[in-house]
Amino acid sequence: MAYTYSGYDSYDYSSSGMDDVGEKVNEPPDVLAAGKRNKAGGKAGSGVMLMEQLAAEVTDDEPAVTSAEPMDAGIAETSLQTGLSPAQVASLRMTHGYNEVVTKPTPAWLQFALFFWGPMPWLIEIAAVLSIVVGDWKGLGIIVTLLVINAVIGFHEERHAGAAVAALQDSLAPDATVLRDGKVRVIPARELVPGDVIMVKGGDIVPADAIVVPLKPVGMTAATASRVMVDQASLTGESLPVSRSYGQRLLSSSLVKTGDVTAQVTAIGAETVIGKASSLVSEASSSAPKGIKKTLVKLSNVMLVMAFVVALVLLVHGLVLHRDLLELLQLVLVIVIAAIPVAMPTVVTVTMAVGAHQLARANAVVTELTSLEQLASVDILCSDKTGTLTQNKLSLHDCVVPTKAITIDDVLDAALFCSVNDDDAVDHVFLQAGRARAAGEPWINVSRTEQLHRTESIRVPVTNSEVLLRQARAASVTIDTGSAGTQHPVAAGVRILHRVPFDPAVKRTEATIVDSRFGEPSVYRVAKGATHVIATMCGLDDDVNYSASVEHMANRGYRSVAVARSVSSSPDDPDAQWELVGLFAIFDPPRIDTAHVVRRCHELGIEVKMLTGDQSIIGRETARLIGLGDNIVTADELFSDSLTDAIKAERAEALDGLGEVYPSHKYAFVSLLQSRGHVVAMTGDGVNDAPAIKAANCGIAVEGATAAAQSAAAVVLLNPGLSAIINAVEEARRIFTRMSSYITFRIVDSFHVLFFLAISILFLDFELDSIHVAILAILNDVSLVSIAFDHARDSARPLKWNLPFLLILGGVLSCVMIASTIVTYYIAHKASWGWQLQVDATKTAVYLQISVSGHLAIFATRVQDSLAVLYAPSRVVVGGVLASQLVATALAGFGILMEKLAWSHVAEIWGIAVATFLIVDYVKLVFHIFFTDDDETSVAAPARAPDNAAPPAGSVATVAAQAKDH
């Protein structure tokens, strides 16, 4: 392939393979014209037009762009050779802005006003209207105060939490490789402008709409392929990738699966196809509650149903007794206020935001707050092996050749010629070996060069420049066989005509090269890849010696890379005959902390399963080093067509890992585990991991992950290895425990007030005023935000919501609280030996007892499997509770908004409340002992602990020593 360049006005997209990728282009791809067409076609308000345009622009057989509209002045002459200049960038930035889709923010006033709109605020507002109807002006003031305080707290905390998450997400903002002013640099993707020359490779998310160009710009050291495979599922929903080559468009947000190309940006931000669709998507986004929000909605519904049932019973009771209708409405008002859990969303949001901040300090970035809940529930962790469980610092070890005619240097040459990318771990190990050999340094840890003992000799490629010359004549292009292609970055005298980058779907990479090291140029193809893939290419699937050599390396914990070559020079030649050159043994030692992480996962009730593209026997050796079980089979064995889905799921559950996997296998493996009721976390770093990461309940992108993996993940690790996952799981469970503590308290408190009111009206002929209930609600909402900052105990098992259990526990504890309040009522008003208070003073006494005992119950519900005194709360929680109850006590003692109560009675009520707390704490512990077992917690039904929960003994030092021996 060849092309000439003489300014932007003259392109020659001549290529021997151009006919099968699109129309030949003889005119410049107009960068800004394409952007203008995008603008014209995507006006707001025309959703149908936009979708039609989207479908048209992402067709699989898209022809090359042929527009001849002129470029903006100043770009046309130099953009592809040296990139844009700083002045051009500044000018284009003024015209087009930044490469981002700016969503119109909700005005602060509207965001605040929304806290007065919704089912819960409506109920409070109805209560306010009822206060006006019955002329209860004090009650009205308290109710309005309750409504405003909840709105202020919710508004402040949600904005704060939203800003925190936005800041964390900004730290993950994607970068782009761009050519500017003659230099290649990496910049934030948002700084791209139309006309920028960018480079994208496998694993990248295309940062803007762009057109593939056939030039290798100055400074772009890595060779670029003639085409890329692009996954446009985010745009079209089609699962299969499409081919994109010279003159064809790459659309923003699509995923480059394989290849790397140079492209020129045509549109950015809101001018891109996906940018226009984003506005419609945001307008149509679902507001259906998920996760913890769904649990809160269920809990709120339960409480409101109970409140309405109680209100209906009391209303019928009042009508039977011929009570005044306004009095009955006021009674309903009190019941509604008592049952509304207004502060629940705020408390939960603050709790998760605080946890996300703490995880960020441990270099684990949470992209969605709700993912913390899923992480607390994870019971199976599926992990990619290379680079996650291992160091991904490869070194060459022994070499196997098919015949003595092949030397170890021949094998390195063949592997080196199709290795050009230092960012790829396998390419890097061969490039480093090539550099070391050129410098006369040791480049392989060779104990011996083994031989396959084959009877026939390998065919050595012939020196035949005529192959290249015939190809050049067919394309009607004058070409120099000594300078065609791209100079190899390490091997002198070798130029690359065509390269197919590594594709995880086929597990190999190959290159067509011109070898001029020995005089007359020789053209041939080289390939390296997985041993079973190269075996098929070379017809060695049934070769006993080949299989034995691969297995021997695997038994020693080595990963094998096979190398082959062919005399065929055509990249698309289906009849090419490949011959094996040799096998290299590559060792990738486990990370120093991996064994500890696996052991801690087992201690936390999380089963670790390893997914690797290597042979299962290599996986078993790695598993032995890090403390995993050895029940590892190949993907083909698990996903055999002869097995039903149910059997596959059962076997997947029992496995310790899976070998020889492709990306689709990882996705299917996660789905099988989920079908068995497991909450699955999936870690990975590459584009091949992204589908499984997205499918998992909690996807985790490890340090150094591609943009594709990061965008699919709910948690992104910024430190190497999996140690941060342990911190994240522990923190997520503490967050879950805090939320559970609050919800349990809220159930107890609401049941306490609601059913005491019903009992007192039906059987005691006594009722609290609406102002008492409203003050209780205000003090609860203000003080309970402190739970977000409480100490929380680590759970040794995964946690899942068990709302029926919480409701039963809340009902039992509320019975103790109700009994205590009834006793207080009798002491204050009924008992001859009691205080003999008047009705209004009795209301004050009952109000204070409910308030103090209710808040002390927080300390009981925060720890469910032991007595509260054995696990101290945080100072923030103690301060919040004491502050609110000092206010409650002052109101009663000084007679503010209610009848004054003697301080001696106040002290006695505190004593009753403390005694109630001790009883509630003990009943809670007894309930936990009798109604849960070792495999359950009060809020969850955790998955069973893995059978290998006690991993093999061995310190990190032992593992490191074992790795060193290999």
Side-chain angles (χ1 to χ4, degrees), residues 342-394:
V342 180
M344 276 205 302
T346 299
V347 173
V348 169
T349 299
V350 174
T351 300
M352 291 191 292
V354 170
H357 271 296
Q358 292 170 340
L359 284 179
R361 287 198 292 268
N363 288 320
V365 177
V366 178
T367 60
E368 293 183 8
L369 288 180
T370 53
S371 64
L372 291 170
E373 178 197 3
Q374 292 292 325
L375 189 56
S377 303
V378 165
D379 60 350
I380 290 182
L381 172 64
C382 296
S383 176
D384 181 42
K385 178 179 75 70
T386 303
T388 304
L389 298 175
T390 62
Q391 297 180 22
N392 202 22
K393 293 181 179 179
L394 307 179

Side-chain angles (χ1 to χ4, degrees), residues 172-188:
L172 300 175
D175 293 327
T177 302
V178 61
L179 175 68
R180 282 187 180 172
D181 209 20
K183 296 180 180 178
V184 177
R185 62 195 71 189
V186 177
I187 64 172

Side-chain angles (χ1 to χ4, degrees), residues 110-257:
L110 180 56
Q111 199 171 1
F112 180 72
L114 289 175
F115 281 93
F116 297 91
W117 187 262
M120 291 185 185
W122 290 340
L123 290 173
I124 300 179
E125 288 156 8
I126 291 172
V129 172
L130 291 176
S131 294
I132 296 174
V133 172
V134 300
D136 183 4
W137 306 112
K138 281 186 180 180
L140 175 63
I142 295 296
I143 291 170
V144 171
T145 302
L146 170 65
L147 190 62
V148 172
I149 286 178
N150 276 291
V152 170
I153 293 175
F155 173 74
H156 175 269
E157 296 299 340
E158 286 200 9
R159 281 181 66 89
H160 182 72
V165 173
L168 294 176
Q169 290 176 333
D170 285 345
S171 68
L172 300 175
D175 293 327
T177 302
V178 61
L179 175 68
R180 282 187 180 172
D181 209 20
K183 296 180 180 178
V184 177
R185 62 195 71 189
V186 177
I187 64 172
R190 73 182 296 267
E191 296 181 5
L192 290 175
V193 296
D196 263 327
V197 179
I198 61 174
M199 187 180 195
V200 292
K201 61 182 184 300
D204 287 348
I205 293 178
V206 179
D209 286 1
I211 293 178
V212 180
V213 294
L215 296 180
K216 174 179 171 290
V218 177
M220 294 285 192
T221 56
T224 58
S226 62
R227 71 181 69 181
V228 287
M229 299 302 293
V230 182
D231 181 355
Q232 299 183 148
S234 61
L235 297 171
T236 66
E238 295 292 334
S239 58
L240 296 178
V242 296
S243 174
R244 289 290 177 261
S245 186
Y246 301 150
Q248 294 181 306
R249 273 182 289 186
L250 301 174
L251 298 181
S252 178
S253 84
S254 56
L255 171 62
V256 180
K257 300 287 286 184

Side-chain angles (χ1 to χ4, degrees), residues 120 150 158 292-293 295-301 303 339-351 739 742-744 746-747 750 781 784:
M120 291 185 185
N150 276 291
E158 286 200 9
I292 178 60
K293 293 185 177 180
T295 301
L296 294 182
V297 169
K298 288 182 179 179
L299 179 58
S300 299
N301 290 340
M303 290 183 173
I340 298 174
V342 180
M344 276 205 302
T346 299
V347 173
V348 169
T349 299
V350 174
T351 300
M739 292 189 292
Y742 168 73
I743 290 175
T744 304
R746 190 59 195 158
I747 292 172
S750 294
D781 293 349
L784 290 183

Side-chain angles (χ1 to χ4, degrees), residues 418-419 427 499-503 506-511 526-529 534:
C418 53
S419 303
D427 275 14
R499 182 172 67 90
V500 179
F502 179 78
D503 184 348
V506 297
K507 294 187 177 296
R508 79 170 191 273
T509 181
E510 67 176 75
V526 288
K528 73 174 189 297
I534 299 298

Side-chain angles (χ1 to χ4, degrees), residues 314 317-318 321 323 327 331 756-768 825-826 829-830 839 842-843:
L314 295 180
H317 175 266
L321 297 179
R323 291 185 59 176
E327 289 182 3
L331 179 61
F756 171 76
L757 291 176
I759 291 171
S760 66
I761 293 171
L762 293 175
F763 304 107
L764 303 178
D765 194 24
F766 171 83
E767 60 187 72
L768 289 176
Y825 165 76
Y826 270 96
H829 186 62
K830 287 287 188 180
V839 173
T842 302
K843 291 180 179 180

Side-chain angles (χ1 to χ4, degrees), residues 852-853 856 909-919:
V852 177
S853 63
L856 291 181
I909 289 172
W910 268 85
I912 295 172
V914 170
T916 303
F917 156 71
L918 295 175
I919 297 172

Side-chain angles (χ1 to χ4, degrees), residues 53-71:
Q53 176 197 357
L54 182 60
E57 296 205 36
V58 296
T59 51
D60 289 358
D61 57 348
E62 174 180 290
V65 176
T66 58
S67 170
E69 296 180 44
M71 289 284 294

